[in-house]
Amino acid sequence: DELALLIPWLLYQLPVGDQPPAAAFFAERGARLSEFERSTLECNLAGRMSLWEVRRVVPGEGLELFDLLTHETRFVHDVRVSRAAQRWMVMLGIVVDYPEVSVLGGLHPRPLLPVESVDPLAAVRRHLGVRTRAVPAERLRSPAVQLAMILAWRLTVAEQKQRSMAPRVMSNTDGDPLVMCTDHFDVAAA
C-alpha cells in the first residue's frame, strides 16, 4: 500500500550517501539522456513531500492542494485521485512541478480527515520548531523532516485502524450499557 509514496521518496528524495539514487544516476548518465528525460528527472528530483489539504476538486481533472506546512497552493492534475478525493481531506504526498503542470509524484494510500490530520501535522511542526507560521520549502527536503512526516502519518493511520477494529459498545440514550434480557410470558388458554 505505502509503496506508492515510499518508492518515489526512496528514489528521488532520500540521500544514499550524499545524494538520492536518481541524482546519482543523473550525475553519472545524464549526458546520455534526451532533453525530455533530463527535464523529467530534474523535476522529480525537485519534488517535495508535504501534508497537502484538498481545497477544491475538479472530478476527472485534478485538485487544488494547499501545503499545510509552506502555505503554498498547487493545482495538481490527477484524474484518478480527483475521482476519489473530497474537499478538506489531507494527504501525505510528493508534488512534482513541471514547467506547465503539477502532478502527484507519490501519495500515501490513506488520506486523513481534517480532525485526523491534527496529530501528524502537530508532530511535524514540533519537529520543525514552528507552531503556525509557514515553513520554508527547503526545510522540507531534510530526510529527518520527511521521515518525521512518514512516521507521524503511519502512527495516525495505525491508531485509526486499531480504533476501527475495537468492538462497538452499545448503550442507551443515557449512556448506560446495553443489557440483553429474555422475557417469558405465560399466556392463559382462552
Side-chain angles (χ1 to χ4, degrees):
D1 277 335
E2 294 179 331
L3 294 179
L5 175 70
L6 295 179
I7 289 176
W9 178 62
L10 292 170
L11 284 174
Y12 298 110
Q13 307 283 314
L14 185 66
V16 176
D18 62 340
Q19 59 187 349
F25 173 82
F26 186 72
E28 183 180 318
R29 299 189 182 167
R32 290 185 250 165
L33 300 174
S34 70
E35 181 59 35
F36 175 77
E37 291 168 329
R38 279 194 301 278
S39 173
T40 301
L41 196 52
E42 288 171 338
C43 290
N44 277 282
L45 286 165
R48 188 180 72 248
M49 181 187 296
S50 194
L51 305 180
W52 299 90
E53 180 180 69
V54 177
R55 291 283 172 96
R56 181 171 58 99
V57 178
V58 180
E61 186 179 338
L63 6 121
E64 183 179 301
L65 300 178
F66 177 76
D67 188 331
L68 293 171
L69 297 169
T70 66
H71 300 174
E72 296 174 3
T73 301
R74 297 280 190 289
F75 187 85
V76 173
H77 291 268
D78 193 311
V79 173
R80 185 182 55 83
V81 174
S82 73
R83 291 187 177 132
Q86 296 176 355
R87 190 173 186 207
W88 306 122
M89 73 177 9
V90 179
M91 302 183 291
L92 174 62
I94 299 170
V95 171
V96 178
D97 296 319
Y98 290 94
E100 311 272 324
V101 67
S102 294
V103 298
L104 288 168
L107 183 66
H108 193 281
R110 172 70 163 82
L112 298 176
L113 298 173
V115 70
E116 297 170 334
S117 68
V118 169
D119 289 339
L121 180 59
V124 174
R125 286 189 168 283
R126 264 192 313 277
H127 184 84
L128 290 164
V130 297
R131 293 181 64 184
T132 57
R133 68 179 164 83
V135 176
E138 274 309 304
R139 289 199 57 202
L140 300 184
R141 299 204 57 77
S142 160
V145 172
Q146 294 170 348
L147 191 56
M149 281 188 240
I150 292 170
L151 293 176
W153 198 268
R154 292 182 85 203
L155 178 64
T156 299
V157 169
E159 288 171 351
Q160 293 293 325
K161 188 174 184 179
Q162 189 70 24
R163 272 196 290 275
S164 72
M165 293 172 46
R168 304 279 182 207
V169 177
M170 296 183 68
S171 61
N172 64 16
T173 56
D174 295 329
D176 300 322
L178 179 69
V179 178
M180 299 304 255
C181 300
T182 304
D183 292 331
H184 297 278
F185 299 94
D186 292 329
V187 178

